[in-house]
Coordinates of all heavy atoms in Angstrom, one line a residue:
M29 N -2.6 -27.3 -0.6 CA -1.7 -26.2 -0.3 C -0.7 -26.0 -1.5 O -0.3 -26.9 -2.2 CB -0.9 -26.4 0.9 CG -1.8 -26.7 2.2 SD -2.8 -25.3 2.5 CE -3.8 -26.0 3.8
T30 N -0.4 -24.7 -1.7 CA 0.4 -24.4 -2.9 C 1.5 -23.4 -2.5 O 1.4 -22.5 -1.7 CB -0.5 -23.7 -4.0 OG1 -1.6 -24.6 -4.2 CG2 0.3 -23.5 -5.3
V31 N 2.7 -23.5 -3.2 CA 3.8 -22.6 -3.2 C 3.7 -21.8 -4.5 O 3.5 -22.3 -5.6 CB 5.1 -23.3 -3.0 CG1 6.3 -22.3 -3.1 CG2 5.2 -24.1 -1.7
Y32 N 4.0 -20.5 -4.4 CA 3.9 -19.6 -5.5 C 5.3 -18.9 -5.7 O 5.9 -18.5 -4.7 CB 2.9 -18.5 -5.3 CG 1.5 -19.1 -5.0 CD1 1.1 -19.2 -3.7 CD2 0.6 -19.5 -6.0 CE1 -0.1 -19.8 -3.3 CE2 -0.6 -20.1 -5.7 CZ -1.0 -20.2 -4.3 OH -2.2 -20.7 -4.0
V33 N 5.7 -18.6 -7.0 CA 6.8 -17.8 -7.3 C 6.4 -16.7 -8.3 O 5.6 -17.0 -9.2 CB 8.0 -18.6 -7.8 CG1 8.6 -19.5 -6.7 CG2 7.6 -19.5 -9.0
D34 N 6.9 -15.5 -8.1 CA 6.5 -14.5 -9.0 C 7.6 -14.2 -10.1 O 8.6 -14.9 -10.1 CB 6.2 -13.2 -8.3 CG 7.4 -12.5 -7.7 OD1 8.5 -12.9 -7.9 OD2 7.2 -11.4 -7.0
D35 N 7.3 -13.3 -11.0 CA 8.3 -12.9 -12.0 C 8.8 -11.5 -11.9 O 8.9 -10.8 -12.8 CB 7.6 -13.1 -13.4 CG 6.4 -12.3 -13.6 OD1 6.0 -11.5 -12.7 OD2 5.8 -12.4 -14.7
A36 N 9.0 -11.1 -10.6 CA 9.4 -9.7 -10.3 C 10.8 -9.4 -11.0 O 11.0 -8.4 -11.5 CB 9.5 -9.5 -8.8
F37 N 11.7 -10.4 -10.9 CA 13.1 -10.2 -11.4 C 13.8 -8.9 -11.1 O 14.0 -8.1 -12.0 CB 13.1 -10.5 -12.9 CG 12.5 -11.8 -13.3 CD1 11.6 -12.0 -14.4 CD2 12.9 -13.0 -12.6 CE1 11.1 -13.2 -14.7 CE2 12.4 -14.2 -12.9 CZ 11.5 -14.3 -14.0
I38 N 14.0 -8.7 -9.8 CA 14.6 -7.5 -9.3 C 16.1 -7.7 -9.1 O 16.6 -8.6 -8.5 CB 14.0 -7.2 -7.9 CG1 12.5 -7.0 -8.0 CG2 14.6 -6.0 -7.3 CD1 11.7 -7.1 -6.7
P39 N 16.9 -6.8 -9.7 CA 18.4 -6.9 -9.5 C 18.8 -6.7 -8.1 O 18.3 -5.8 -7.4 CB 18.9 -5.8 -10.4 CG 17.8 -5.4 -11.3 CD 16.6 -5.7 -10.6
Y40 N 19.6 -7.6 -7.6 CA 20.2 -7.5 -6.2 C 21.6 -8.0 -6.3 O 21.9 -9.2 -6.5 CB 19.4 -8.3 -5.2 CG 20.0 -8.3 -3.8 CD1 19.8 -7.2 -3.0 CD2 20.6 -9.4 -3.3 CE1 20.4 -7.1 -1.8 CE2 21.2 -9.4 -2.1 CZ 21.0 -8.2 -1.3 OH 21.6 -8.2 0.0
R41 N 22.6 -7.0 -6.1 CA 24.0 -7.3 -6.3 C 24.2 -8.0 -7.7 O 23.9 -7.4 -8.7 CB 24.5 -8.2 -5.2 CG 24.4 -7.4 -3.8 CD 24.9 -8.2 -2.7 NE 24.7 -7.5 -1.5 CZ 25.0 -7.9 -0.3 NH1 25.6 -9.1 -0.2 NH2 24.8 -7.2 0.8
R42 N 24.7 -9.2 -7.7 CA 25.0 -9.8 -9.0 C 23.9 -10.8 -9.4 O 24.1 -11.6 -10.3 CB 26.3 -10.5 -9.0 CG 27.5 -9.6 -8.8 CD 28.8 -10.3 -8.8 NE 28.9 -11.2 -7.7 CZ 29.7 -12.3 -7.7 NH1 30.5 -12.6 -8.7 NH2 29.7 -13.1 -6.7
M43 N 22.8 -10.8 -8.6 CA 21.7 -11.8 -8.9 C 20.5 -11.1 -9.3 O 20.3 -9.9 -9.2 CB 21.4 -12.5 -7.6 CG 22.5 -13.3 -7.0 SD 22.1 -14.1 -5.4 CE 22.1 -12.7 -4.3
I44 N 19.5 -11.8 -9.8 CA 18.2 -11.4 -10.2 C 17.3 -12.2 -9.2 O 17.3 -13.4 -9.2 CB 17.8 -11.7 -11.6 CG1 18.8 -11.0 -12.6 CG2 16.4 -11.2 -11.9 CD1 18.8 -9.5 -12.6
M45 N 16.5 -11.4 -8.4 CA 15.7 -12.0 -7.4 C 14.2 -11.9 -7.7 O 13.8 -11.1 -8.5 CB 15.9 -11.3 -6.1 CG 17.4 -11.2 -5.6 SD 18.1 -12.8 -5.3 CE 17.4 -13.2 -3.7
C46 N 13.5 -12.9 -7.1 CA 12.0 -12.8 -7.2 C 11.5 -13.3 -5.8 O 12.3 -13.4 -4.9 CB 11.5 -13.7 -8.3 SG 11.9 -15.5 -8.2
H47 N 10.2 -13.6 -5.7 CA 9.6 -13.9 -4.4 C 9.0 -15.3 -4.5 O 8.5 -15.7 -5.5 CB 8.6 -12.9 -4.1 CG 9.1 -11.5 -4.1 ND1 8.8 -10.6 -5.2 CD2 9.8 -10.8 -3.2 CE1 9.4 -9.4 -4.9 NE2 10.0 -9.5 -3.8
M48 N 9.0 -15.9 -3.3 CA 8.3 -17.2 -3.2 C 7.4 -17.1 -1.9 O 7.9 -16.7 -0.8 CB 9.3 -18.3 -3.0 CG 8.7 -19.7 -2.8 SD 9.9 -21.1 -2.8 CE 10.7 -20.8 -1.2
A49 N 6.2 -17.5 -2.1 CA 5.2 -17.5 -0.9 C 4.4 -18.8 -1.0 O 4.5 -19.5 -2.0 CB 4.3 -16.3 -1.0
A50 N 3.6 -19.0 0.0 CA 2.8 -20.2 0.1 C 1.5 -20.0 0.9 O 1.4 -18.9 1.5 CB 3.6 -21.4 0.7
D51 N 0.7 -20.9 0.8 CA -0.6 -20.8 1.5 C -0.3 -20.9 3.0 O -1.1 -20.3 3.8 CB -1.6 -21.9 1.1 CG -2.1 -21.7 -0.3 OD1 -2.1 -20.6 -0.8 OD2 -2.4 -22.7 -1.0
T52 N 0.7 -21.6 3.5 CA 1.0 -21.7 4.9 C 2.5 -21.5 5.1 O 3.3 -21.8 4.2 CB 0.7 -23.1 5.5 OG1 1.5 -24.1 4.9 CG2 -0.8 -23.5 5.2
I53 N 2.9 -21.1 6.2 CA 4.3 -20.9 6.6 C 5.1 -22.2 6.5 O 6.2 -22.3 6.1 CB 4.5 -20.2 8.0 CG1 3.9 -18.8 8.0 CG2 5.9 -20.1 8.4 CD1 4.6 -17.8 7.1
E54 N 4.4 -23.2 7.0 CA 5.1 -24.5 7.1 C 5.4 -25.0 5.7 O 6.5 -25.5 5.4 CB 4.2 -25.6 7.8 CG 4.0 -25.3 9.2 CD 2.9 -24.2 9.5 OE1 2.1 -23.9 8.6 OE2 2.9 -23.7 10.6
E55 N 4.5 -24.8 4.7 CA 4.8 -25.3 3.4 C 5.8 -24.4 2.7 O 6.7 -24.9 2.0 CB 3.5 -25.2 2.6 CG 3.6 -25.8 1.2 CD 2.2 -25.8 0.5 OE1 1.4 -25.0 0.7 OE2 2.1 -26.7 -0.3
L56 N 5.8 -23.1 3.0 CA 6.8 -22.2 2.5 C 8.2 -22.6 3.0 O 9.2 -22.7 2.2 CB 6.5 -20.8 3.0 CG 7.5 -19.7 2.5 CD1 7.6 -19.6 1.0 CD2 7.0 -18.3 3.1
H57 N 8.4 -22.9 4.3 CA 9.7 -23.3 4.8 C 10.1 -24.7 4.2 O 11.3 -24.9 3.9 CB 9.7 -23.4 6.3 CG 9.6 -22.0 7.0 ND1 10.4 -21.0 6.6 CD2 8.9 -21.6 8.0 CE1 10.2 -19.9 7.4 NE2 9.3 -20.3 8.3
A58 N 9.1 -25.6 4.1 CA 9.4 -26.9 3.5 C 10.0 -26.8 2.1 O 11.0 -27.4 1.7 CB 8.2 -27.8 3.5
M59 N 9.4 -25.9 1.3 CA 9.9 -25.7 -0.1 C 11.3 -25.0 -0.1 O 12.2 -25.4 -0.8 CB 8.9 -24.9 -0.9 CG 9.4 -24.6 -2.4 SD 9.6 -26.1 -3.4 CE 7.9 -26.3 -3.9
A60 N 11.5 -24.1 0.8 CA 12.8 -23.4 0.9 C 13.8 -24.5 1.3 O 14.9 -24.5 0.7 CB 12.7 -22.3 2.0
D61 N 13.5 -25.4 2.2 CA 14.5 -26.4 2.6 C 14.7 -27.3 1.4 O 15.9 -27.7 1.1 CB 14.0 -27.2 3.8 CG 13.9 -26.4 5.1 OD1 14.5 -25.4 5.2 OD2 13.2 -26.9 6.0
K62 N 13.7 -27.7 0.7 CA 13.8 -28.6 -0.4 C 14.7 -28.1 -1.6 O 15.5 -28.8 -2.2 CB 12.4 -28.9 -1.0 CG 12.4 -30.0 -2.1 CD 11.0 -30.2 -2.6 CE 10.2 -31.1 -1.6 NZ 8.9 -31.6 -2.2
I63 N 14.6 -26.8 -1.8 CA 15.3 -26.2 -2.9 C 16.7 -25.6 -2.5 O 17.5 -25.1 -3.3 CB 14.5 -25.1 -3.7 CG1 14.2 -23.9 -2.9 CG2 13.3 -25.8 -4.3 CD1 13.6 -22.8 -3.7
G64 N 16.9 -25.6 -1.2 CA 18.2 -25.1 -0.7 C 18.4 -23.7 -0.4 O 19.4 -23.1 -0.5
V65 N 17.3 -23.0 -0.1 CA 17.3 -21.6 0.3 C 17.4 -21.4 1.8 O 16.7 -22.0 2.6 CB 16.0 -20.9 -0.2 CG1 15.9 -19.5 0.3 CG2 15.9 -21.0 -1.7
D66 N 18.4 -20.6 2.1 CA 18.7 -20.4 3.6 C 17.6 -19.6 4.2 O 17.0 -18.7 3.6 CB 20.0 -19.6 3.7 CG 20.6 -19.6 5.1 OD1 19.9 -19.1 6.0 OD2 21.7 -20.0 5.2
R67 N 17.3 -19.9 5.4 CA 16.2 -19.2 6.1 C 16.5 -17.7 6.3 O 15.5 -16.9 6.6 CB 15.9 -19.8 7.5 CG 15.4 -21.3 7.3 CD 14.0 -21.4 7.7 NE 13.5 -22.7 7.4 CZ 12.8 -23.5 8.3 NH1 12.6 -23.0 9.5 NH2 12.4 -24.6 7.9
K68 N 17.7 -17.2 6.2 CA 18.0 -15.8 6.3 C 17.3 -15.0 5.2 O 17.1 -13.8 5.4 CB 19.5 -15.5 6.3 CG 20.1 -15.7 5.0 CD 21.6 -15.4 5.1 CE 22.3 -15.5 3.7 NZ 23.8 -15.3 3.9
W69 N 16.8 -15.6 4.1 CA 16.1 -14.9 3.1 C 14.6 -14.8 3.4 O 13.9 -14.2 2.6 CB 16.4 -15.6 1.7 CG 17.8 -15.5 1.3 CD1 18.7 -16.5 1.3 CD2 18.5 -14.3 0.9 NE1 19.9 -16.0 0.8 CE2 19.8 -14.7 0.6 CE3 18.1 -13.0 0.7 CZ2 20.7 -13.7 0.1 CZ3 19.0 -12.1 0.2 CH2 20.3 -12.5 0.0
F70 N 14.2 -15.4 4.5 CA 12.8 -15.3 4.8 C 12.4 -13.9 5.2 O 13.1 -13.3 6.0 CB 12.4 -16.3 6.0 CG 11.0 -16.3 6.4 CD1 10.0 -16.6 5.6 CD2 10.7 -15.9 7.7 CE1 8.7 -16.6 6.0 CE2 9.4 -15.8 8.1 CZ 8.4 -16.2 7.3
Q71 N 11.3 -13.4 4.7 CA 10.8 -12.1 5.0 C 9.5 -12.2 5.7 O 8.4 -12.4 5.1 CB 10.6 -11.3 3.7 CG 11.9 -11.2 2.8 CD 12.9 -10.3 3.5 OE1 12.7 -9.2 3.9 NE2 14.1 -10.8 3.5
P72 N 9.4 -12.1 7.0 CA 8.2 -12.3 7.8 C 7.2 -11.2 7.8 O 6.0 -11.4 8.1 CB 8.7 -12.6 9.2 CG 10.0 -11.8 9.3 CD 10.6 -11.8 7.9
L73 N 7.6 -10.0 7.5 CA 6.7 -8.8 7.5 C 5.9 -8.8 6.3 O 6.2 -9.4 5.2 CB 7.5 -7.5 7.7 CG 8.5 -7.5 8.9 CD1 9.3 -6.2 8.9 CD2 7.7 -7.6 10.2
S74 N 4.8 -8.0 6.4 CA 3.8 -8.0 5.3 C 3.3 -9.4 5.0 O 3.0 -10.2 5.9 CB 4.2 -7.2 4.1 OG 5.3 -7.8 3.4
R75 N 3.4 -9.8 3.7 CA 3.0 -11.2 3.4 C 4.3 -12.0 3.5 O 5.3 -11.7 2.8 CB 2.5 -11.2 2.0 CG 2.2 -12.7 1.6 CD 1.6 -12.7 0.2 NE 1.2 -14.1 0.0 CZ 0.8 -14.6 -1.2 NH1 0.6 -13.8 -2.2 NH2 0.5 -15.8 -1.3
P76 N 4.4 -13.0 4.4 CA 5.6 -13.8 4.6 C 6.0 -14.4 3.2 O 5.2 -15.0 2.5 CB 5.2 -14.9 5.6 CG 4.0 -14.3 6.3 CD 3.3 -13.4 5.3
H77 N 7.3 -14.3 2.9 CA 7.8 -14.8 1.7 C 9.3 -14.9 1.8 O 10.0 -14.5 2.7 CB 7.5 -13.9 0.5 CG 8.2 -12.5 0.5 ND1 7.8 -11.5 1.3 CD2 9.3 -12.1 -0.1 CE1 8.6 -10.5 1.2 NE2 9.6 -10.8 0.3
Y78 N 9.9 -15.6 0.8 CA 11.4 -15.7 0.6 C 11.7 -14.9 -0.6 O 11.0 -14.9 -1.6 CB 11.8 -17.1 0.4 CG 12.0 -17.9 1.6 CD1 10.9 -18.7 2.1 CD2 13.2 -17.9 2.3 CE1 11.1 -19.4 3.3 CE2 13.4 -18.7 3.5 CZ 12.3 -19.4 3.9 OH 12.4 -20.2 5.1
D79 N 12.9 -14.2 -0.5 CA 13.5 -13.6 -1.7 C 14.4 -14.7 -2.3 O 15.3 -15.3 -1.5 CB 14.4 -12.4 -1.4 CG 13.5 -11.3 -0.9 OD1 12.3 -11.2 -1.3 OD2 14.0 -10.4 -0.2
I80 N 14.2 -15.1 -3.5 CA 15.0 -16.2 -4.1 C 15.5 -15.8 -5.5 O 15.0 -14.9 -6.1 CB 14.2 -17.5 -4.3 CG1 13.0 -17.3 -5.2 CG2 13.8 -18.0 -2.9 CD1 12.2 -18.6 -5.5
C81 N 16.7 -16.3 -5.9 CA 17.3 -16.0 -7.2 C 16.6 -16.9 -8.3 O 15.8 -17.8 -8.0 CB 18.8 -16.3 -7.2 SG 19.2 -18.1 -7.0
K82 N 16.8 -16.5 -9.5 CA 16.2 -17.2 -10.6 C 16.5 -18.7 -10.7 O 15.6 -19.5 -11.0 CB 16.6 -16.5 -11.9 CG 16.0 -15.2 -12.2 CD 16.5 -14.5 -13.4 CE 16.1 -15.1 -14.7 NZ 16.5 -14.3 -15.9
K83 N 17.7 -19.1 -10.3 CA 18.0 -20.5 -10.2 C 17.1 -21.2 -9.2 O 16.6 -22.3 -9.6 CB 19.5 -20.7 -9.8 CG 19.9 -22.1 -9.7 CD 21.4 -22.2 -9.3 CE 21.8 -23.6 -9.1 NZ 23.2 -23.7 -8.6
M84 N 16.9 -20.7 -8.1 CA 16.0 -21.3 -7.1 C 14.6 -21.3 -7.5 O 13.8 -22.2 -7.2 CB 16.2 -20.6 -5.7 CG 17.6 -20.8 -5.1 SD 17.9 -22.6 -4.9 CE 19.7 -22.5 -4.9
R85 N 14.2 -20.2 -8.3 CA 12.9 -20.2 -8.8 C 12.6 -21.3 -9.8 O 11.6 -22.0 -9.7 CB 12.7 -18.8 -9.6 CG 11.3 -18.7 -10.2 CD 11.2 -17.4 -10.9 NE 9.8 -17.1 -11.3 CZ 9.3 -17.5 -12.5 NH1 10.0 -18.2 -13.3 NH2 8.0 -17.2 -12.8
R86 N 13.6 -21.6 -10.6 CA 13.5 -22.8 -11.6 C 13.4 -24.1 -10.8 O 12.6 -25.0 -11.1 CB 14.6 -22.8 -12.5 CG 14.6 -21.7 -13.6 CD 15.6 -21.9 -14.7 NE 17.0 -21.9 -14.2 CZ 17.8 -20.9 -14.0 NH1 17.3 -19.7 -14.4 NH2 19.0 -20.9 -13.6
R87 N 14.2 -24.2 -9.7 CA 14.1 -25.4 -8.9 C 12.8 -25.5 -8.2 O 12.2 -26.6 -8.2 CB 15.3 -25.3 -7.8 CG 15.6 -26.6 -7.2 CD 16.7 -26.5 -6.3 NE 18.0 -26.4 -7.0 CZ 19.2 -26.2 -6.5 NH1 19.3 -26.1 -5.2 NH2 20.3 -26.2 -7.3
A88 N 12.2 -24.4 -7.7 CA 10.9 -24.5 -7.0 C 9.9 -24.9 -8.0 O 9.0 -25.7 -7.7 CB 10.6 -23.1 -6.4
L89 N 9.9 -24.4 -9.2 CA 9.0 -24.7 -10.3 C 9.1 -26.2 -10.6 O 8.0 -26.9 -10.8 CB 9.2 -23.9 -11.5 CG 8.8 -22.4 -11.4 CD1 9.3 -21.7 -12.6 CD2 7.3 -22.3 -11.2
S90 N 10.3 -26.8 -10.6 CA 10.4 -28.2 -10.9 C 9.8 -29.1 -9.8 O 9.5 -30.2 -10.0 CB 11.9 -28.5 -11.1 OG 12.6 -28.6 -9.9
Y91 N 9.7 -28.5 -8.6 CA 9.1 -29.2 -7.4 C 7.6 -28.9 -7.3 O 7.0 -29.2 -6.3 CB 9.8 -28.9 -6.1 CG 11.1 -29.7 -6.0 CD1 12.3 -29.0 -6.0 CD2 11.1 -31.0 -5.7 CE1 13.5 -29.7 -5.9 CE2 12.3 -31.7 -5.6 CZ 13.5 -31.0 -5.7 OH 14.7 -31.7 -5.5
G92 N 7.0 -28.2 -8.3 CA 5.6 -28.0 -8.3 C 5.1 -26.6 -7.9 O 3.9 -26.4 -7.8
A93 N 6.0 -25.7 -7.7 CA 5.5 -24.3 -7.3 C 4.8 -23.8 -8.6 O 5.0 -24.2 -9.7 CB 6.7 -23.4 -7.0
V94 N 3.9 -22.8 -8.3 CA 3.1 -22.2 -9.3 C 3.6 -20.9 -9.7 O 3.8 -20.0 -8.8 CB 1.6 -22.1 -8.9 CG1 0.7 -21.4 -9.9 CG2 1.0 -23.5 -8.6
A95 N 3.9 -20.6 -11.0 CA 4.4 -19.3 -11.4 C 3.2 -18.3 -11.5 O 2.2 -18.6 -12.1 CB 5.1 -19.4 -12.7
L96 N 3.4 -17.1 -10.9 CA 2.4 -16.1 -11.0 C 3.1 -14.8 -11.5 O 4.3 -14.6 -11.3 CB 1.8 -15.8 -9.6 CG 1.0 -16.8 -9.0 CD1 0.6 -16.3 -7.6 CD2 -0.2 -17.2 -9.8
S97 N 2.3 -13.9 -12.1 CA 2.9 -12.6 -12.5 C 3.0 -11.8 -11.2 O 2.5 -12.2 -10.1 CB 1.9 -11.8 -13.4 OG 0.8 -11.5 -12.7
R98 N 3.9 -10.8 -11.2 CA 4.1 -10.0 -10.0 C 2.7 -9.4 -9.5 O 2.5 -9.3 -8.3 CB 5.1 -8.9 -10.3 CG 5.4 -8.1 -9.0 CD 6.5 -7.1 -9.3 NE 6.9 -6.5 -8.1 CZ 7.9 -5.6 -8.0 NH1 8.5 -5.2 -9.1 NH2 8.2 -5.1 -6.9
R99 N 1.9 -9.0 -10.5 CA 0.6 -8.4 -10.1 C -0.3 -9.4 -9.4 O -0.9 -9.1 -8.4 CB -0.1 -7.9 -11.4 CG -1.5 -7.4 -11.1 CD -2.2 -7.1 -12.4 NE -1.7 -5.8 -12.8 CZ -2.3 -5.1 -13.7 NH1 -3.3 -5.5 -14.4 NH2 -1.8 -3.9 -14.1
D100 N -0.3 -10.7 -9.9 CA -1.2 -11.7 -9.3 C -0.6 -12.1 -7.9 O -1.3 -12.5 -7.0 CB -1.3 -12.9 -10.2 CG -2.1 -12.7 -11.4 OD1 -3.0 -11.8 -11.4 OD2 -1.9 -13.3 -12.4
F101 N 0.7 -12.1 -7.8 CA 1.4 -12.4 -6.6 C 1.0 -11.5 -5.4 O 0.7 -11.9 -4.3 CB 2.9 -12.4 -6.8 CG 3.7 -13.0 -5.6 CD1 3.9 -14.3 -5.5 CD2 4.3 -12.1 -4.7 CE1 4.7 -14.9 -4.5 CE2 5.0 -12.6 -3.6 CZ 5.2 -14.0 -3.5
V102 N 1.0 -10.2 -5.7 CA 0.6 -9.2 -4.7 C -0.9 -9.4 -4.4 O -1.3 -9.4 -3.3 CB 0.9 -7.8 -5.2 CG1 0.4 -6.8 -4.2 CG2 2.4 -7.6 -5.4

C-alpha cells in the first residue's frame, strides 16, 4: 500500500497546500496521524484525500510517501 502527495501547490490563506491520498483510507489516516495532520483536513468526497501544507508534504515524503505530479495524482 502507498501514500501519495501531489505538487498542486495551491495558495490558501498564508499557506501553500497540496493533496495527500493513499490506496486505502486506513493508510491515509495513519500517515495523517504520523505527520500531525488534523482530521478536519480530510476530504471524503470524490477521491478521499487530505489537504496538507508544504511542510507536512515534506514530512510525509520523509516517511515514505510517493511524490506525484498533479496530473498523475488525478
Side-chain angles (χ1 to χ4, degrees):
M29 304 296 171
T30 306
V31 175
Y32 308 94
V33 292
D34 73 1
D35 60 0
F37 303 136
I38 301 164
Y40 177 75
R41 298 183 182 175
R42 295 181 301 156
M43 297 179 288
I44 303 295
M45 306 296 283
C46 61
H47 305 102
M48 180 173 72
D51 292 332
T52 68
I53 297 293
E54 294 78 18
E55 188 172 31
L56 180 59
H57 288 316
M59 179 63 83
D61 293 342
K62 186 181 282 190
I63 66 172
V65 173
D66 193 303
R67 297 251 174 130
K68 72 180 179 182
W69 294 108
F70 179 63
Q71 305 290 314
L73 303 177
S74 67
R75 180 175 183 188
H77 69 279
Y78 277 91
D79 293 337
I80 60 172
C81 67
K82 287 174 72 173
K83 177 182 176 183
M84 294 300 154
R85 181 182 189 272
R86 287 190 301 271
R87 196 175 286 175
L89 290 169
S90 75
Y91 282 109
V94 175
L96 295 177
S97 70
R98 186 172 185 181
R99 175 184 283 192
D100 290 335
F101 188 83
V102 174

